[in-house]
Amino acid sequence: MTDFTTGLDDLAIETPSWAYGNSGTRFKVFAQRGVPRDPFEKVADAAQVHAFTGAAPTVALHIPWDRVPDYAALADHAVDHGVRLGAINANVFQDDDYMLGSVTNPDPKVRRKAVDHLLECVDIMDLTGSRDLKLWFSDGTNYPGQDDIRARQDRLSEALTEVYARLGDDQRLLLEYKLFEPAFYTTDVPDWGTSFLHCVALGPKAVVCVDTGHHAPGTNIEFIVALLLRAGRLGAFDFNSRFYADDDLMVGAADPFQLFRIMFEVVSGGGLDPATGVAFMLDQCHNIEPKIQGQIRSVMNAQEATAKALLVDAAALKAAQAEGDVLGANAVLMDAYNTDVRPLLAGWRESRGLDGDPIAAYKASGYFEKIVAERVGGTQAGWGA
Ligand code: AOS
Ligand code: ZN
Ligand code: ZN
């Protein structure tokens, strides 16, 4: 097992550009003061999360929300602020042409348009130096009989094969799944098995993205994580929270014990080692929470779950498991989960020259007041806007 400090040092959480802009539910976006007016300001805000947590060194982009004339300039801007650009998230879910699907649409002209967008995203990866192309398809159907389930899988496979062939040697395709929404009868990539099947068919540069808000209630997500890690196909997490569905709220807010169990499988499976290639991304759209604070808290929640997982006494656990000591083995895990790791994390931060309380330090920094004063008028739309 990874030792405590190394594990925390290795945990790098990527924050999403869209978390900093106004976003919300399909019912209402509550506009907030001081939100970014362009991707450069989004990156500046994301840099604050890293500056105060020391654990959020990269920022995921979303195309077209983050389209800029000069991606190299945006990448340089990120480095100037102490972070780097991360995954490129494609968007084939907001154009009217995609009403009946994007890459699985019955109309070949629509499928062509969607694939061309995915290829444009790979072109952008070449400019930003991104490793990962994240693909989430809202494609699906609302009624039995609406379309041919197998034909849609064939169309999906054809599109993914073309995009996969375009990837550079050091680039990856993260195929994200989601049980439902916005489609309500079938979603063309609804679960880990579908994603896994397509990734295996494509090749080693195709891996699964597990969004923690994308499962049916009661799903044992850590079992999926363990299986994918064992198969070498756990590419990334989209960390968010789910009370009932895909809330996109702060990770760990709904079920910190589940997040601990997930991170225990990651830690015990060697998934924290950067060489394993697992990307830890937040996928959140906060409507009523202060944007930057919400991301800082999310990163802290992920750190706390990981710190607890790193405290599990692996030797005692293995011994209890080998002896069939059911309650003893469970107690080893629960001892770690019930440990208050906040003082240990404060110490980890202070040993790196950071304030032990990132939220308090951020609030005292005056950054929010500064951007509210500067960013008067005009806010860039993001998710749901
Ligand atoms: C949608 O529900 C998925 O979680 C996507 O990963 C995400 O919201 C999208 O990629 C934003 O671009
Ligand atoms: Zn997601
Ligand atoms: Zn989602």
Side-chain angles (χ1 to χ4, degrees):
M1 284 265 276
T2 310
D3 76 78
F4 188 80
T5 302
T6 306
L8 282 181
D9 288 346
D10 285 343
L11 180 66
I13 307 280
E14 180 162 302
T15 69
S17 67
W18 56 94
Y20 300 99
N22 279 321
S23 58
T25 70
R26 63 180 172 186
F27 301 106
K28 167 69 180 170
V29 173
F30 290 102
Q32 295 192 24
R33 296 176 302 146
V35 295
R37 296 161 297 185
D38 59 47
F40 289 81
E41 291 182 342
K42 290 181 187 178
V43 168
D45 289 1
Q48 290 296 305
V49 178
H50 185 51
F52 287 98
T53 63
T58 57
V59 190
L61 295 185
H62 182 286
I63 306 301
W65 299 339
D66 296 320
R67 200 168 266 143
V68 292
D70 184 344
Y71 289 98
L74 185 60
D76 291 344
H77 172 79
V79 170
D80 292 346
H81 282 72
V83 292
R84 298 186 319 281
L85 299 182
I88 299 298
N89 288 259
N91 180 332
V92 284
F93 51 81
Q94 282 189 309
D95 191 306
D96 288 343
D97 287 341
Y98 298 140
M99 184 171 77
L100 298 181
S102 60
V103 294
T104 64
N105 194 296
D107 182 344
K109 291 192 299 299
V110 174
R111 297 202 297 271
R112 184 69 255 157
K113 172 178 176 176
V115 172
D116 286 346
H117 170 73
L118 304 185
L119 295 173
E120 176 201 4
C121 288
V122 184
D123 294 342
I124 292 169
M125 290 164 68
D126 290 344
L127 297 170
T128 58
S130 299
R131 174 188 65 178
D132 292 337
L133 170 66
K134 194 174 93 184
L135 301 180
W136 169 68
F137 298 104
S138 62
D139 293 34
T141 63
N142 280 354
Y143 297 98
Q146 177 183 332
D147 200 353
D148 181 320
I149 292 174
R150 283 186 305 280
R152 290 179 77 93
Q153 291 298 309
D154 294 341
R155 299 167 198 158
L156 173 62
S157 174
E158 187 180 328
L160 293 175
T161 300
E162 183 174 350
V163 175
Y164 187 89
R166 169 64 181 81
L167 293 175
D169 292 342
D170 299 327
Q171 293 172 334
R172 304 188 309 176
L173 180 158
L174 308 179
L175 183 55
E176 182 178 2
Y177 61 89
K178 180 172 180 178
L179 179 64
F180 80 107
E181 187 192 39
F184 293 104
Y185 172 57
T186 62
T187 296
D188 293 316
V189 189
D191 53 31
W192 76 269
T194 308
S195 174
F196 179 74
L197 276 174
H198 282 286
C199 288
V200 168
L202 288 167
K205 295 185 292 189
V207 282
V208 179
C209 176
V210 177
D211 186 305
T212 53
H214 286 190
H215 303 79
T219 299
N220 185 331
I221 299 174
E222 63 269 30
F223 185 86
I224 298 168
V225 168
L227 247 62
L228 291 173
L229 201 51
R230 181 174 178 273
R233 294 289 176 153
L234 178 63
F237 286 97
D238 263 4
F239 278 143
N240 78 55
S241 225
R242 62 174 303 286
F243 287 96
Y244 299 97
D246 185 21
D247 304 346
D248 285 346
L249 299 181
M250 296 186 300
V251 64
D255 188 344
F257 184 40
Q258 177 189 62
L259 183 59
F260 160 75
R261 300 192 316 264
I262 290 171
M263 291 315 294
F264 173 70
E265 291 306 328
V266 169
V267 168
S268 57
L272 273 187
D273 182 344
T276 312
V278 180
F280 300 92
M281 302 189 276
L282 301 183
D283 180 11
Q284 294 167 13
C285 302
H286 294 167
N287 198 14
I288 62 173
E289 309 90 318
K291 309 292 181 180
I292 295 170
Q293 271 190 60
Q295 295 304 294
I296 291 174
R297 174 57 67 188
S298 260
V299 171
M300 291 170 68
N301 288 354
Q303 284 184 311
E304 286 183 24
T306 305
K308 290 172 183 263
L310 288 164
L311 287 181
V312 172
D313 182 337
L317 184 64
K318 283 268 182 281
Q321 290 171 341
E323 290 159 21
D325 179 356
V326 174
L327 297 186
N330 176 254
V332 170
L333 214 65
M334 295 312 293
D335 285 349
Y337 176 66
N338 290 323
T339 303
D340 182 356
V341 293
R342 290 172 296 181
L344 291 170
L345 281 166
W348 178 84
R349 296 182 184 111
E350 286 155 3
S351 69
R352 279 148 187 79
L354 301 171
D355 191 292
D357 181 343
I359 292 276
Y362 166 73
K363 290 169 79 170
S365 72
Y367 181 82
F368 176 68
E369 290 74 16
K370 172 174 167 289
I371 59 177
V372 167
E374 286 173 358
R375 299 173 185 174
V376 176
T379 57
Q380 178 164 48
W383 178 265

